[in-house]
Amino acid sequence: MDNRLIGLILAGGDEAAFKSKTPKVLHSLLGTSLLRLTAEALGEVGPARLIVAGLPRDLVAAEVAGLTVTIVEKTKDKGPAAAVHSARKEWARDLDGDVLIVPADLPLVESAVLRALVSRHRKKGNAGTMLWADAVASGGSEKRIPVREIEDESDFPADHPSRRIPTGIFVFRARELARVLLRVIKPGHKGASDLTAAFGLLAAAGRPVGVFLAPDPEDVQRIVSRFDLGRAADRMRLRKIRALAEGGVTILSPASTWIDWNVKIGPETVVYPGTVIEGPTVIGRNGRIYPNAHIVRSVIGDDVHVLGSTVIEDATVENDVRIGPFARVRMQTTLRSGSRVGNFVEMKKTDFGPRSKAMHLSYLGDSEVGEAANIGAGTITCNYDGVNKNRTIIGSGAFIGSGSELVAPVRIGRGAYIAAGSVITKDVEDDALAVARGRQVDKPGWAAARRAKLQKEKSGGSKP
Amino acid sequence: MDNRLIGLILAGGDEAAFKSKTPKVLHSLLGTSLLRLTAEALGEVGPARLIVAGLPRDLVAAEVAGLTVTIVEKTKDKGPAAAVHSARKEWARDLDGDVLIVPADLPLVESAVLRALVSRHRKKGNAGTMLWADAVASGGSEKRIPVREIEDESDFPADHPSRRIPTGIFVFRARELARVLLRVIKPGHKGASDLTAAFGLLAAAGRPVGVFLAPDPEDVQRIVSRFDLGRAADRMRLRKIRALAEGGVTILSPASTWIDWNVKIGPETVVYPGTVIEGPTVIGRNGRIYPNAHIVRSVIGDDVHVLGSTVIEDATVENDVRIGPFARVRMQTTLRSGSRVGNFVEMKKTDFGPRSKAMHLSYLGDSEVGEAANIGAGTITCNYDGVNKNRTIIGSGAFIGSGSELVAPVRIGRGAYIAAGSVITKDVEDDALAVARGRQVDKPGWAAARRAKLQKEKSGGSKP
Amino acid sequence: MDNRLIGLILAGGDEAAFKSKTPKVLHSLLGTSLLRLTAEALGEVGPARLIVAGLPRDLVAAEVAGLTVTIVEKTKDKGPAAAVHSARKEWARDLDGDVLIVPADLPLVESAVLRALVSRHRKKGNAGTMLWADAVASGGSEKRIPVREIEDESDFPADHPSRRIPTGIFVFRARELARVLLRVIKPGHKGASDLTAAFGLLAAAGRPVGVFLAPDPEDVQRIVSRFDLGRAADRMRLRKIRALAEGGVTILSPASTWIDWNVKIGPETVVYPGTVIEGPTVIGRNGRIYPNAHIVRSVIGDDVHVLGSTVIEDATVENDVRIGPFARVRMQTTLRSGSRVGNFVEMKKTDFGPRSKAMHLSYLGDSEVGEAANIGAGTITCNYDGVNKNRTIIGSGAFIGSGSELVAPVRIGRGAYIAAGSVITKDVEDDALAVARGRQVDKPGWAAARRAKLQKEKSGGSKP
């Protein structure tokens, strides 16, 4: 910890371009928020205190859960300097210390950069130090460069000179900041940023000030619009993917894979293109996540294959399980070790036993399935009677014939056998057979006669 | 409108690299066509007339529906100058006016650039003005730079000088163009572009000519091959995403989201990665479009959640509806307010009533469902008898037990109850129960005996 | 073939950053391996012999199947020079020839570059020639540039000078290489790359040496980590997409489409965003592959529409077929000409006849379906009895009513008709009707009474 450093996050700021009821810095970025990411980066610098100024206490508290943060609510005055002033009791206790000020709409800033900024600021004995960055183009769809006229070849302009601009990140000696702060808050002060003006006042007064350049300007671009948010997310996405890859995960196509900041994946697991993994999620080692899978808030073990276009949400998957494609496993479902879940199968609030299989076109809801049971294609637990949800229990080794409906509440015994196409309304004993379907009756020639009749009617019905 | 300006689109051009039966400029770009996009951009400049030269009338007319366009068909002569000449009756009526010529394979050009070009052309009193652009590298897969030899460190070449090249976009004073046009059409004229040659003739004759540089060279790259088309689409895609974001839509991952040019989305709606939305489509405010959804030609209301991997095609979705994941709603289906459609459910030509639910593994085709009906898992409307499609009517408050087949034409009364696993072939009265299934019979011990028998047969059948 | 050239691939190398049990150069890149891609590129240069040094024989042999390669196993000595030395018997037969040395972790290198390198090497009469490249930034997530201090505006540093670095690719005259090789292997030799040291020894001895610059530095970046692998794959992906586009395929969004190196697609086929096609796969002309489809090891004919989110694996699809969305066709299934497979349909080991249809919620496994059969929604072949897999045969023109289970082994005759909701356990004759279901019984008023009872119980059960 750095006892002479206070971290101050400015969580207010201009939000008009977001057109949102949600404060800008609470918007999601790779599954976390701008504010949270900024607080984590600033927290890693190790300040004695971390202050967030500018938003209602409850909103901030929910967002920074787990971090030690002092919250200062919004004042009526506008602008960064007013926000800094509103938090003065928190940072001005130690006037010989430094205040590192970071707007919360710079969530990509890295702690190493902040740490270097503070280090240089102190080494130089500065009163204040600004972080600057090269201006960057804003992507293919923005037109900031005007149409230029060219008279002849020699008149062709050189490449646009790169410009440096302030990032909005500052570190000040607390005493020096306190000295000039009020002067820049007074109404009518001109200038784009009043903290820059405070910096200017120090310089004009002959105090030592400095400017540092951020190593990568893309990391300190302000998020002004939702498009900036999307671009930042795609950048943060690659940062996450890099970290996973360095841990031994293969992400086949970084371009089309989305993995939230709050996701852990074990080594030797391979993630195919088009996958979306939302946090908090943990995936074990040696897994395969096939294309277009969507995993949300789940815990997945080792050696698990999630086949294509599978949705797993709020579920637990043990080791050596194979799910999908086109499976949906949700809401407190657990797939036990070695189980298999196939295509067009949904499970909800189900404990699916070890080595059991449900391979095709089934719905298991509010169920408990034992070991090594076989759930035939088209099995449906009728868990809802229009008013209540009821439970289905299927014993170990049971065989549910295809196209069966199990009308809950119902219990199928261990090793029991349900004949295909049965509607089971009563409990079935262990090792018993249950049949509940019609008997087959054949009528020779019927189909040929019917075809002829229908075709005749149809052609008769069309206008000649 | 600009009364002294004629817009002329050259819709012919070299198409060999496309290897297509469809003319190049009619190929799709973000759900519209190269020709249409060019016509819209040129139309926004406000010319007195907009001419398209070089393609059969019917092809052009279909593509520019809704725009006022004069169509000039193709002549046998080749090259841009011949195409311009073929349209001379249309643009040469006002010889003191200007003709703005844009090839239709430059669909990313923006009207602001064209407007600036005309403005500078007139301010300078030019006879002709060309739009130029910096040459750009063509992406990672193209090799235009030769292998270079380096003898020693000092011999390392400087970075490749950027080159400027003509874009193919011109504005001419009509009288001046008419004066030189025929001279560049004559067979045997050398030079890559004959319109550039016309420009050169004016310059050689001492007429005032000028060159302007496009602000962003990527916007005026010709689309020569299908790879160029893909790159242009990915660029146009970001332009569209930016526009939506500025309107208050959150697009989480611009890198992997595809939204057609002709799609509208309301503010506070969030679009997840991997989504494909084809136009014309309108989506309301405060929606959630989850990963890998595919929406085509549909109208979707406010507060709608489209869960992952859902396909919506030619459908209407009212407010506060939740669909998916893995749902398919198509062909004139309407989902009424507050309805819920779950996984592995298909609807076709169905009017699905307010607050009704069909949550699992069902097919509703040619159906009409009232309010607050509950369609159980595995419900199937048997709408096809091998010859005709028949209708199913389900009354408000009806409860269709899971695994039922409704053999159309059939009507289920209001508040009626269909027992699970029933095959319904006759109409059911309001508030009645209908059952059509076998009765459950159990045979104790049968399953254990059968398992033993099958296992014995299997091991007996294998060669020792 | 070039009789005086030996190609030598170094398949060892530092693998620690991969954290993998699999040797680095055997990892997959766009469906093939680093080693295979390097061998193909070097093979295209046409060396008299192609040597792979550094991995166990069986691993290499499996990977380079179909190429003529001499394999030299790993020695205990470390480093490229030791690997080159271990293969000396293979390359030193012709001391007047040249040895082109390419590490296998440079899989993006193109044969044209290698050929140019050899050509310049010989033209200059060099003893050795190195391929160099501009250093490249490593993407958004890497921080190699240090934080820099800026005192004032004039102190702003110029853009970082581009640096050139060795790629690890060399061509040596065999005799010259043999002369210096042993000297750089001896333990304790300092320097990052011992082959560079060998090069330096030649230079120091006054032998003629040269340096060439690769035209595109991204093509000769070493793959050190799994993140490099992902970035290389995304680059290779675009190279593949470009090649397909030049052949007449439209790939709408290069940004989000993954097509393996070993995939062929015919002209006028359109591939939508989010698609993943794994090789070896062949797709015909004039097809449509809709969003998020996943195709693996399959052969697909002309005029085939693969609708969204469809999975095709180890299957054959003839001409004019329409599949999906949400279909899964796998494991030796063949879809015959003109057949239609709809949503939530799975086929496994099934021969599905010409013009037959299975449009909804069905599972056909171990089946044979004739011509123009209609498989109703919810049809399930009960192919598994808990021990064996059994076959289902469906004759041409048969109509399987919705919600039927066909309990295999079973044969449905030509033109036969299965009533909806039937469980068929016995063979059905040609043109016969088979019914196997309960008869419908209605109980008027029952549903209303039950609703009232259940609601009363529910409200009674809740604590007041």
mmCIF file with all atom_site columns, all heavy atoms in Angstrom, chain C residues 255-271:
data_model
loop_
_atom_site.group_PDB
_atom_site.id
_atom_site.type_symbol
_atom_site.label_atom_id
_atom_site.label_alt_id
_atom_site.label_comp_id
_atom_site.label_asym_id
_atom_site.label_entity_id
_atom_site.label_seq_id
_atom_site.pdbx_PDB_ins_code
_atom_site.Cartn_x
_atom_site.Cartn_y
_atom_site.Cartn_z
_atom_site.occupancy
_atom_site.B_iso_or_equiv
_atom_site.pdbx_formal_charge
_atom_site.auth_seq_id
_atom_site.auth_comp_id
_atom_site.auth_asym_id
_atom_site.auth_atom_id
_atom_site.pdbx_PDB_model_num
ATOM 1   N N   . ALA C 1 255 ? -15.391 -10.745 -41.240 1.00 0.00 ? 255 ALA C N   1
ATOM 2   C CA  . ALA C 1 255 ? -15.017 -10.572 -39.834 1.00 0.00 ? 255 ALA C CA  1
ATOM 3   C C   . ALA C 1 255 ? -15.487 -11.713 -38.955 1.00 0.00 ? 255 ALA C C   1
ATOM 4   O O   . ALA C 1 255 ? -14.846 -12.031 -37.968 1.00 0.00 ? 255 ALA C O   1
ATOM 5   C CB  . ALA C 1 255 ? -15.561 -9.247  -39.304 1.00 0.00 ? 255 ALA C CB  1
ATOM 6   N N   . SER C 1 256 ? -16.618 -12.333 -39.281 1.00 0.00 ? 256 SER C N   1
ATOM 7   C CA  . SER C 1 256 ? -17.189 -13.298 -38.345 1.00 0.00 ? 256 SER C CA  1
ATOM 8   C C   . SER C 1 256 ? -17.392 -14.676 -38.952 1.00 0.00 ? 256 SER C C   1
ATOM 9   O O   . SER C 1 256 ? -18.163 -15.479 -38.438 1.00 0.00 ? 256 SER C O   1
ATOM 10  C CB  . SER C 1 256 ? -18.524 -12.772 -37.811 1.00 0.00 ? 256 SER C CB  1
ATOM 11  O OG  . SER C 1 256 ? -19.494 -12.768 -38.830 1.00 0.00 ? 256 SER C OG  1
ATOM 12  N N   . THR C 1 257 ? -16.708 -14.977 -40.041 1.00 0.00 ? 257 THR C N   1
ATOM 13  C CA  . THR C 1 257 ? -16.881 -16.263 -40.725 1.00 0.00 ? 257 THR C CA  1
ATOM 14  C C   . THR C 1 257 ? -15.609 -17.087 -40.594 1.00 0.00 ? 257 THR C C   1
ATOM 15  O O   . THR C 1 257 ? -14.522 -16.566 -40.788 1.00 0.00 ? 257 THR C O   1
ATOM 16  C CB  . THR C 1 257 ? -17.205 -16.021 -42.217 1.00 0.00 ? 257 THR C CB  1
ATOM 17  O OG1 . THR C 1 257 ? -18.341 -15.171 -42.301 1.00 0.00 ? 257 THR C OG1 1
ATOM 18  C CG2 . THR C 1 257 ? -17.486 -17.332 -42.932 1.00 0.00 ? 257 THR C CG2 1
ATOM 19  N N   . TRP C 1 258 ? -15.770 -18.350 -40.259 1.00 0.00 ? 258 TRP C N   1
ATOM 20  C CA  . TRP C 1 258 ? -14.610 -19.221 -40.117 1.00 0.00 ? 258 TRP C CA  1
ATOM 21  C C   . TRP C 1 258 ? -14.731 -20.361 -41.122 1.00 0.00 ? 258 TRP C C   1
ATOM 22  O O   . TRP C 1 258 ? -15.689 -21.138 -41.088 1.00 0.00 ? 258 TRP C O   1
ATOM 23  C CB  . TRP C 1 258 ? -14.559 -19.803 -38.706 1.00 0.00 ? 258 TRP C CB  1
ATOM 24  C CG  . TRP C 1 258 ? -13.465 -20.783 -38.488 1.00 0.00 ? 258 TRP C CG  1
ATOM 25  C CD1 . TRP C 1 258 ? -13.417 -22.082 -38.918 1.00 0.00 ? 258 TRP C CD1 1
ATOM 26  C CD2 . TRP C 1 258 ? -12.232 -20.565 -37.799 1.00 0.00 ? 258 TRP C CD2 1
ATOM 27  N NE1 . TRP C 1 258 ? -12.245 -22.667 -38.529 1.00 0.00 ? 258 TRP C NE1 1
ATOM 28  C CE2 . TRP C 1 258 ? -11.498 -21.762 -37.839 1.00 0.00 ? 258 TRP C CE2 1
ATOM 29  C CE3 . TRP C 1 258 ? -11.681 -19.460 -37.143 1.00 0.00 ? 258 TRP C CE3 1
ATOM 30  C CZ2 . TRP C 1 258 ? -10.241 -21.891 -37.245 1.00 0.00 ? 258 TRP C CZ2 1
ATOM 31  C CZ3 . TRP C 1 258 ? -10.431 -19.595 -36.550 1.00 0.00 ? 258 TRP C CZ3 1
ATOM 32  C CH2 . TRP C 1 258 ? -9.727  -20.796 -36.603 1.00 0.00 ? 258 TRP C CH2 1
ATOM 33  N N   . ILE C 1 259 ? -13.773 -20.448 -42.016 1.00 0.00 ? 259 ILE C N   1
ATOM 34  C CA  . ILE C 1 259 ? -13.760 -21.534 -43.001 1.00 0.00 ? 259 ILE C CA  1
ATOM 35  C C   . ILE C 1 259 ? -12.373 -22.150 -42.978 1.00 0.00 ? 259 ILE C C   1
ATOM 36  O O   . ILE C 1 259 ? -11.379 -21.467 -43.222 1.00 0.00 ? 259 ILE C O   1
ATOM 37  C CB  . ILE C 1 259 ? -14.104 -20.996 -44.414 1.00 0.00 ? 259 ILE C CB  1
ATOM 38  C CG1 . ILE C 1 259 ? -15.493 -20.330 -44.393 1.00 0.00 ? 259 ILE C CG1 1
ATOM 39  C CG2 . ILE C 1 259 ? -14.067 -22.123 -45.441 1.00 0.00 ? 259 ILE C CG2 1
ATOM 40  C CD1 . ILE C 1 259 ? -15.883 -19.673 -45.706 1.00 0.00 ? 259 ILE C CD1 1
ATOM 41  N N   . ASP C 1 260 ? -12.313 -23.449 -42.707 1.00 0.00 ? 260 ASP C N   1
ATOM 42  C CA  . ASP C 1 260 ? -11.023 -24.128 -42.612 1.00 0.00 ? 260 ASP C CA  1
ATOM 43  C C   . ASP C 1 260 ? -10.266 -24.075 -43.936 1.00 0.00 ? 260 ASP C C   1
ATOM 44  O O   . ASP C 1 260 ? -10.854 -23.939 -45.018 1.00 0.00 ? 260 ASP C O   1
ATOM 45  C CB  . ASP C 1 260 ? -11.226 -25.599 -42.214 1.00 0.00 ? 260 ASP C CB  1
ATOM 46  C CG  . ASP C 1 260 ? -11.124 -25.815 -40.709 1.00 0.00 ? 260 ASP C CG  1
ATOM 47  O OD1 . ASP C 1 260 ? -10.867 -24.851 -39.956 1.00 0.00 ? 260 ASP C OD1 1
ATOM 48  O OD2 . ASP C 1 260 ? -11.320 -26.969 -40.279 1.00 0.00 ? 260 ASP C OD2 1
ATOM 49  N N   . TRP C 1 261 ? -8.972  -24.223 -43.806 1.00 0.00 ? 261 TRP C N   1
ATOM 50  C CA  . TRP C 1 261 ? -8.081  -24.202 -44.959 1.00 0.00 ? 261 TRP C CA  1
ATOM 51  C C   . TRP C 1 261 ? -8.464  -25.280 -45.972 1.00 0.00 ? 261 TRP C C   1
ATOM 52  O O   . TRP C 1 261 ? -8.349  -25.087 -47.180 1.00 0.00 ? 261 TRP C O   1
ATOM 53  C CB  . TRP C 1 261 ? -6.648  -24.437 -44.444 1.00 0.00 ? 261 TRP C CB  1
ATOM 54  C CG  . TRP C 1 261 ? -5.577  -24.153 -45.419 1.00 0.00 ? 261 TRP C CG  1
ATOM 55  C CD1 . TRP C 1 261 ? -4.716  -25.055 -45.965 1.00 0.00 ? 261 TRP C CD1 1
ATOM 56  C CD2 . TRP C 1 261 ? -5.259  -22.879 -45.972 1.00 0.00 ? 261 TRP C CD2 1
ATOM 57  N NE1 . TRP C 1 261 ? -3.867  -24.417 -46.832 1.00 0.00 ? 261 TRP C NE1 1
ATOM 58  C CE2 . TRP C 1 261 ? -4.184  -23.077 -46.855 1.00 0.00 ? 261 TRP C CE2 1
ATOM 59  C CE3 . TRP C 1 261 ? -5.772  -21.590 -45.813 1.00 0.00 ? 261 TRP C CE3 1
ATOM 60  C CZ2 . TRP C 1 261 ? -3.606  -22.034 -47.575 1.00 0.00 ? 261 TRP C CZ2 1
ATOM 61  C CZ3 . TRP C 1 261 ? -5.206  -20.561 -46.538 1.00 0.00 ? 261 TRP C CZ3 1
ATOM 62  C CH2 . TRP C 1 261 ? -4.146  -20.775 -47.403 1.00 0.00 ? 261 TRP C CH2 1
ATOM 63  N N   . ASN C 1 262 ? -8.988  -26.360 -45.474 1.00 0.00 ? 262 ASN C N   1
ATOM 64  C CA  . ASN C 1 262 ? -9.240  -27.544 -46.290 1.00 0.00 ? 262 ASN C CA  1
ATOM 65  C C   . ASN C 1 262 ? -10.727 -27.657 -46.667 1.00 0.00 ? 262 ASN C C   1
ATOM 66  O O   . ASN C 1 262 ? -11.340 -28.701 -46.527 1.00 0.00 ? 262 ASN C O   1
ATOM 67  C CB  . ASN C 1 262 ? -8.784  -28.768 -45.487 1.00 0.00 ? 262 ASN C CB  1
ATOM 68  C CG  . ASN C 1 262 ? -8.674  -29.996 -46.348 1.00 0.00 ? 262 ASN C CG  1
ATOM 69  O OD1 . ASN C 1 262 ? -8.827  -29.908 -47.571 1.00 0.00 ? 262 ASN C OD1 1
ATOM 70  N ND2 . ASN C 1 262 ? -8.439  -31.137 -45.711 1.00 0.00 ? 262 ASN C ND2 1
ATOM 71  N N   . VAL C 1 263 ? -11.296 -26.551 -47.136 1.00 0.00 ? 263 VAL C N   1
ATOM 72  C CA  . VAL C 1 263 ? -12.705 -26.504 -47.531 1.00 0.00 ? 263 VAL C CA  1
ATOM 73  C C   . VAL C 1 263 ? -12.791 -25.939 -48.941 1.00 0.00 ? 263 VAL C C   1
ATOM 74  O O   . VAL C 1 263 ? -12.092 -24.985 -49.273 1.00 0.00 ? 263 VAL C O   1
ATOM 75  C CB  . VAL C 1 263 ? -13.509 -25.600 -46.560 1.00 0.00 ? 263 VAL C CB  1
ATOM 76  C CG1 . VAL C 1 263 ? -14.911 -25.333 -47.093 1.00 0.00 ? 263 VAL C CG1 1
ATOM 77  C CG2 . VAL C 1 263 ? -13.577 -26.223 -45.177 1.00 0.00 ? 263 VAL C CG2 1
ATOM 78  N N   . LYS C 1 264 ? -13.637 -26.559 -49.761 1.00 0.00 ? 264 LYS C N   1
ATOM 79  C CA  . LYS C 1 264 ? -13.869 -26.053 -51.117 1.00 0.00 ? 264 LYS C CA  1
ATOM 80  C C   . LYS C 1 264 ? -15.319 -25.613 -51.247 1.00 0.00 ? 264 LYS C C   1
ATOM 81  O O   . LYS C 1 264 ? -16.224 -26.318 -50.790 1.00 0.00 ? 264 LYS C O   1
ATOM 82  C CB  . LYS C 1 264 ? -13.565 -27.140 -52.152 1.00 0.00 ? 264 LYS C CB  1
ATOM 83  C CG  . LYS C 1 264 ? -12.097 -27.479 -52.246 1.00 0.00 ? 264 LYS C CG  1
ATOM 84  C CD  . LYS C 1 264 ? -11.855 -28.622 -53.236 1.00 0.00 ? 264 LYS C CD  1
ATOM 85  C CE  . LYS C 1 264 ? -10.374 -28.995 -53.214 1.00 0.00 ? 264 LYS C CE  1
ATOM 86  N NZ  . LYS C 1 264 ? -10.122 -30.259 -53.942 1.00 0.00 ? 264 LYS C NZ  1
ATOM 87  N N   . ILE C 1 265 ? -15.543 -24.476 -51.891 1.00 0.00 ? 265 ILE C N   1
ATOM 88  C CA  . ILE C 1 265 ? -16.906 -23.984 -52.081 1.00 0.00 ? 265 ILE C CA  1
ATOM 89  C C   . ILE C 1 265 ? -17.056 -23.502 -53.524 1.00 0.00 ? 265 ILE C C   1
ATOM 90  O O   . ILE C 1 265 ? -16.172 -22.829 -54.047 1.00 0.00 ? 265 ILE C O   1
ATOM 91  C CB  . ILE C 1 265 ? -17.227 -22.824 -51.108 1.00 0.00 ? 265 ILE C CB  1
ATOM 92  C CG1 . ILE C 1 265 ? -16.960 -23.256 -49.657 1.00 0.00 ? 265 ILE C CG1 1
ATOM 93  C CG2 . ILE C 1 265 ? -18.684 -22.374 -51.261 1.00 0.00 ? 265 ILE C CG2 1
ATOM 94  C CD1 . ILE C 1 265 ? -17.299 -22.205 -48.616 1.00 0.00 ? 265 ILE C CD1 1
ATOM 95  N N   . GLY C 1 266 ? -18.174 -23.854 -54.153 1.00 0.00 ? 266 GLY C N   1
ATOM 96  C CA  . GLY C 1 266 ? -18.401 -23.502 -55.543 1.00 0.00 ? 266 GLY C CA  1
ATOM 97  C C   . GLY C 1 266 ? -18.868 -22.063 -55.722 1.00 0.00 ? 266 GLY C C   1
ATOM 98  O O   . GLY C 1 266 ? -19.326 -21.421 -54.776 1.00 0.00 ? 266 GLY C O   1
ATOM 99  N N   . PRO C 1 267 ? -18.787 -21.564 -56.947 1.00 0.00 ? 267 PRO C N   1
ATOM 100 C CA  . PRO C 1 267 ? -19.150 -20.171 -57.215 1.00 0.00 ? 267 PRO C CA  1
ATOM 101 C C   . PRO C 1 267 ? -20.630 -19.880 -56.986 1.00 0.00 ? 267 PRO C C   1
ATOM 102 O O   . PRO C 1 267 ? -21.466 -20.776 -57.054 1.00 0.00 ? 267 PRO C O   1
ATOM 103 C CB  . PRO C 1 267 ? -18.783 -19.989 -58.689 1.00 0.00 ? 267 PRO C CB  1
ATOM 104 C CG  . PRO C 1 267 ? -18.669 -21.349 -59.247 1.00 0.00 ? 267 PRO C CG  1
ATOM 105 C CD  . PRO C 1 267 ? -18.286 -22.255 -58.125 1.00 0.00 ? 267 PRO C CD  1
ATOM 106 N N   . GLU C 1 268 ? -20.912 -18.635 -56.718 1.00 0.00 ? 268 GLU C N   1
ATOM 107 C CA  . GLU C 1 268 ? -22.275 -18.106 -56.515 1.00 0.00 ? 268 GLU C CA  1
ATOM 108 C C   . GLU C 1 268 ? -22.904 -18.612 -55.216 1.00 0.00 ? 268 GLU C C   1
ATOM 109 O O   . GLU C 1 268 ? -24.076 -18.339 -54.940 1.00 0.00 ? 268 GLU C O   1
ATOM 110 C CB  . GLU C 1 268 ? -23.183 -18.414 -57.719 1.00 0.00 ? 268 GLU C CB  1
ATOM 111 C CG  . GLU C 1 268 ? -22.711 -17.805 -59.043 1.00 0.00 ? 268 GLU C CG  1
ATOM 112 C CD  . GLU C 1 268 ? -23.208 -16.389 -59.275 1.00 0.00 ? 268 GLU C CD  1
ATOM 113 O OE1 . GLU C 1 268 ? -23.620 -15.712 -58.317 1.00 0.00 ? 268 GLU C OE1 1
ATOM 114 O OE2 . GLU C 1 268 ? -23.187 -15.957 -60.450 1.00 0.00 ? 268 GLU C OE2 1
ATOM 115 N N   . THR C 1 269 ? -22.147 -19.334 -54.424 1.00 0.00 ? 269 THR C N   1
ATOM 116 C CA  . THR C 1 269 ? -22.640 -19.681 -53.093 1.00 0.00 ? 269 THR C CA  1
ATOM 117 C C   . THR C 1 269 ? -22.429 -18.487 -52.170 1.00 0.00 ? 269 THR C C   1
ATOM 118 O O   . THR C 1 269 ? -21.430 -17.778 -52.273 1.00 0.00 ? 269 THR C O   1
ATOM 119 C CB  . THR C 1 269 ? -21.917 -20.942 -52.572 1.00 0.00 ? 269 THR C CB  1
ATOM 120 O OG1 . THR C 1 269 ? -22.408 -22.067 -53.307 1.00 0.00 ? 269 THR C OG1 1
ATOM 121 C CG2 . THR C 1 269 ? -22.157 -21.174 -51.088 1.00 0.00 ? 269 THR C CG2 1
ATOM 122 N N   . VAL C 1 270 ? -23.417 -18.254 -51.295 1.00 0.00 ? 270 VAL C N   1
ATOM 123 C CA  . VAL C 1 270 ? -23.351 -17.130 -50.359 1.00 0.00 ? 270 VAL C CA  1
ATOM 124 C C   . VAL C 1 270 ? -23.257 -17.670 -48.932 1.00 0.00 ? 270 VAL C C   1
ATOM 125 O O   . VAL C 1 270 ? -24.051 -18.520 -48.532 1.00 0.00 ? 270 VAL C O   1
ATOM 126 C CB  . VAL C 1 270 ? -24.603 -16.232 -50.482 1.00 0.00 ? 270 VAL C CB  1
ATOM 127 C CG1 . VAL C 1 270 ? -24.546 -15.087 -49.470 1.00 0.00 ? 270 VAL C CG1 1
ATOM 128 C CG2 . VAL C 1 270 ? -24.738 -15.693 -51.902 1.00 0.00 ? 270 VAL C CG2 1
ATOM 129 N N   . VAL C 1 271 ? -22.271 -17.192 -48.201 1.00 0.00 ? 271 VAL C N   1
ATOM 130 C CA  . VAL C 1 271 ? -22.062 -17.623 -46.820 1.00 0.00 ? 271 VAL C CA  1
ATOM 131 C C   . VAL C 1 271 ? -22.386 -16.454 -45.884 1.00 0.00 ? 271 VAL C C   1
ATOM 132 O O   . VAL C 1 271 ? -21.784 -15.395 -45.980 1.00 0.00 ? 271 VAL C O   1
ATOM 133 C CB  . VAL C 1 271 ? -20.609 -18.093 -46.610 1.00 0.00 ? 271 VAL C CB  1
ATOM 134 C CG1 . VAL C 1 271 ? -20.391 -18.534 -45.167 1.00 0.00 ? 271 VAL C CG1 1
ATOM 135 C CG2 . VAL C 1 271 ? -20.259 -19.213 -47.578 1.00 0.00 ? 271 VAL C CG2 1
#
